[in-house]
Amino acid sequence: MSDFPTKARVVIIGGGIVGTSSLYHLAKKGWTDCVLLEKNELTAGSTWHAAGNVPTFSTSWSIMNMQRYSTELYSGLAEEVDYPMNYHQTGSIRLAHTKERMQEFERACSMGRYQGIEMEIWTPEQAKENYPFLETHDLEGVLWDPSDGDIDPAQVTQALAKGARDMGAKILRFTPATGVTQKDDKTWIVHTEKGDIECDYVVNAGGYYAQRIGEMFKPYGGRTVPMMVMEHQYLLTEQIPEIEAHVKETGKKLPLIRDVDVSYYLRQEKNGYNLGPYEPNCKAHWVDADDAMPEDFSFQLWQEDLDRIEDIMVDAMARVPLMETSGVSSVINGPIPYAPDGLPLIGPMPGVENAFEACVFTFGIAQGGGAGKVMAEWIVDGHTEWDMWSVDPRRYTDYTDQDYCNQKGMEVYGNEYAMHFPRHEWPAGRDKKLSPVHEMTKAKGAVFGVYNGWERANWFAQDGDDTSLEATHTWGRSGPWTQRIKEECEAVRDGVGVLDLPGFSRFNLEGEGAAEWLRGMVTGGLPKAGRMNLVYFSDDRGRILTEMSCMRHAEDHFTMITAGTAQWHDFELLKNDLPAGLSLTDHTTEWGTMIVTGPKTRELFEGLGTEADLTSGWLTHQDAVVAGTPCRLVRVSFAGELGWEVHCLNENQAALYTAITDAGAKPFGMYALDSLRLEKGYRAWKGDLSTDYSLLEGGLGRFVKLDKPQDFRGKAAIQAEKQQGIKKGFVTLIVDAGDTDAPYMSCIWKDGEIVGETTSGGWGYRVNASIALGMVRADLATPGTELEVEIYGEKCRAVVQEDQPIWDPANERLRA
């Protein structure tokens, strides 16, 4: 083929809406020498049979951003690329049956308002006025989203493809990728039956085939793509005269209905209805050898199964009785891919340099426009405008075997519209990673949560406490855990507490020149041997990439410790820039960590017969023997009290934990730790610490050394920002909250204007107050400023605190 491209900057594998959107956005950024490969025709996979709904609603800030961008892109795309499209922004009425659902709506409405989406809370009567066929007698209220609607999936995909082609990008249909080869310089050769294409970057946009495509990358450090495939069906009714008459009378389509407490959407389709249920008794496909994924399922569907959705159909007909007047004209039942949390994979391919993923989209039409923007930013700029950790493929690590993916995919599908309460832990796919003392903590009443696959105690129940899942179905602060968290915090305040903390990400860095290389990676300085400190990594914009604890053993020997969820993200941050001669190894699964903290901690260790130097100061570490067991004592405490982290090999942890608890330390959990760290103003990764903020905005200037000779990443941007001044400032707030504390991304108001957002919040049991950490307009980040924090629709008075911890502001207890 004379026109077959043998070279390209980027090769995208997959021709659905996400692949074409990625190609379009790369071309928009000037990368026009890119190629998309599609094994069949464009839209042949999930895009072909998608219903085409385009909501903006989400309780995830980043997902809402992405979906909002899609609506803005689609509204002008037809004119921009000169391609006709059917895009109807009818608005949607989202129904609430309970007070808790209304609270969720209030939160989403607030987030939408911040992003410029004019969502509104309506009464049932207002819903009836705008949708005369709707039964509203049993509703608490509704959420109105004027930007919601539907689009023809094939048309929008073809429009994006036309736009990309017009800018010079190439699309090769009926050209499946048959393999990839990575060259020594980390560039790629993508193999097809028509020839090879050399390129700098490869993108897996394979939809429900993404796992199969991912296998090509395993020889170069890849892993099995964490996903499964669900059977999703929706039905179309025959035409209904009353709908046709309504359209003629009003000149517009009916709004889309989402009855999220029953789990379906109902949309006008021509002059009939499209009913799309997410049924609890759902069905997975291609999950075992008897039901293997075919080589090609293009433009194919499965047999309908209306019995499975009968209950939802009956409920929808009661909600809109007009449905009963029409029969079913057709049923569409096709494959939809699911990641374990229902969110797509967009970003760097874990373990593989110069490869990316833009796949496993459950709501690909709604998210496709924004996904293409995000993908192009990752490739061209090396970062994204919005922090997109919620969809970063590296959020999953080695616990996501196929059994886990199947269990979680089924769970997510069956609970597609479920509320994600702050104390609720989903039960499927559990016990993938267990601490050596898991059974001990379980016997003491531990109620567990999952952190990067590891089971950690959230709180410790006593006999008679309600530990049911139903008890967690609340946005409120109070529950069976409240008194127990209070008692755990008080034990840390007054005595000694112990927290088993499995899964701390732990990397060993050594080799001649390691210190000098690390100085050029971090924004600040390094500790001396025998000491540790926090180090920060920024991106090119001076924004916060990550935080690590840096423990120095010798001139060129370090242990880097970071958040459990950051394991693959942070390891790659170090590995991808690692020079020859240095060694970086991951020891996360070999070591355990316990936080032992409280004013009587020193006495406890003395009673256990340790020969360690217990007078050693804050931020020191030493090898020690405690109760006859070797370990490393690290003089830090995320709880903000006198204490140590006790690091030991897994085989030694049971003996240590037994000795420490037998000596009187009270077990405490992650909920108590979160409360304790808020009182100290300690930041949490991907909440308070994210690429949405610069280090200077985050109040981390003391960890930046602009006068050091090393040209660390982001140095120029931080210098410029320091000269120009920050736009936002980090604050700690005391909030006059009611029964609920401020969740992530609650709006902060001043004089009727949104001036910032919370990044985390909770109750401080030592200071007996509701605390929020957040970012506000820089001129308002001064102590004593009165603001308002919007918590589930209620504006609560909040006061900016001094730039110091609320609890033990001089750190006297911490350094005791």
Side-chain angles (χ1 to χ4, degrees), residues 751-763:
D751 298 331
E753 178 187 357
I754 297 175
V755 295
E757 66 277 354
T758 62
T759 52
S760 58
W763 189 262

Side-chain angles (χ1 to χ4, degrees), residues 423-655:
R423 300 297 196 209
H424 182 74
E425 294 285 341
W426 294 95
R430 299 297 294 269
D431 292 348
K432 290 298 180 181
K433 289 186 175 183
L434 302 179
S435 160
V437 298
H438 177 80
E439 292 302 321
M440 294 184 189
T441 56
K442 186 176 181 180
K444 294 178 185 295
V447 180
F448 294 99
V450 185
Y451 301 80
N452 191 30
W454 291 93
E455 298 284 337
R456 292 180 182 173
N458 280 332
W459 62 286
F460 284 83
Q462 295 184 10
D463 290 344
D465 289 344
D466 185 356
T467 59
S468 67
L469 291 176
E470 290 73 21
T472 66
H473 292 176
T474 176
W475 303 109
R477 179 186 314 116
S478 297
W481 50 79
T482 308
Q483 180 62 24
R484 303 300 167 233
I485 298 172
K486 181 175 183 291
E487 292 166 355
E488 293 169 21
C489 290
E490 289 171 347
V492 171
R493 180 194 68 191
D494 301 333
V496 187
V498 57
L499 170 63
D500 176 39
L501 200 64
F504 245 168
S505 301
R506 180 188 305 267
F507 316 130
N508 189 70
L509 171 68
E510 58 185 324
E512 186 176 353
E516 184 59 27
W517 173 75
L518 195 55
R519 286 190 192 97
M521 291 289 292
V522 305
T523 62
L526 302 180
K528 297 177 181 178
R531 295 187 62 83
M532 70 180 300
N533 62 10
L534 289 177
V535 294
Y536 288 86
F537 297 74
S538 75
D539 67 12
D540 293 333
R541 301 165 295 177
R543 297 190 183 184
I544 306 165
L545 267 182
T546 198
E547 167 196 86
M548 299 188 197
S549 294
C550 177
M551 190 186 306
R552 192 170 190 172
H553 306 287
E555 172 63 24
D556 283 321
H557 184 193
F558 301 87
T559 296
M560 311 297 290
I561 297 177
T562 183
T565 51
Q567 182 183 1
W568 280 10
H569 176 282
D570 284 4
F571 188 78
E572 286 195 0
L573 180 63
L574 297 170
K575 179 182 77 71
N576 288 349
D577 286 320
L578 196 71
L582 299 189
S583 168
L584 179 72
T585 49
D586 188 333
H587 299 275
T588 301
T589 60
E590 300 166 25
W591 287 73
T593 302
M594 288 174 281
I595 296 176
V596 186
T597 184
K600 297 181 180 178
T601 305
R602 191 173 281 121
E603 297 170 25
L604 181 142
F605 280 136
E606 287 172 346
L608 291 176
T610 180
E611 297 179 1
D613 179 6
L614 297 177
T615 66
S616 183
W618 191 42
L619 300 180
T620 61
H621 59 91
Q622 58 185 306
D623 288 329
V625 175
V626 175
T629 306
C631 61
R632 176 165 291 273
L633 291 181
V634 183
R635 182 76 157 77
V636 292
S637 172
F638 200 53
E641 299 284 353
L642 168 69
W644 282 263
E645 287 177 0
V646 182
H647 300 242
C648 64
L649 291 169
N650 285 339
E651 56 263 32
N652 295 328
Q653 191 173 358

Side-chain angles (χ1 to χ4, degrees), residues 46 109 145 222 226 233 274 420 576 656 661 713 726 738 772 782:
S46 293
C109 192
D145 179 359
Q233 54 188 342
N274 174 336
H420 292 263
N576 288 349
L656 271 172
T661 52
R713 191 176 178 188
I726 58 175
T782 54

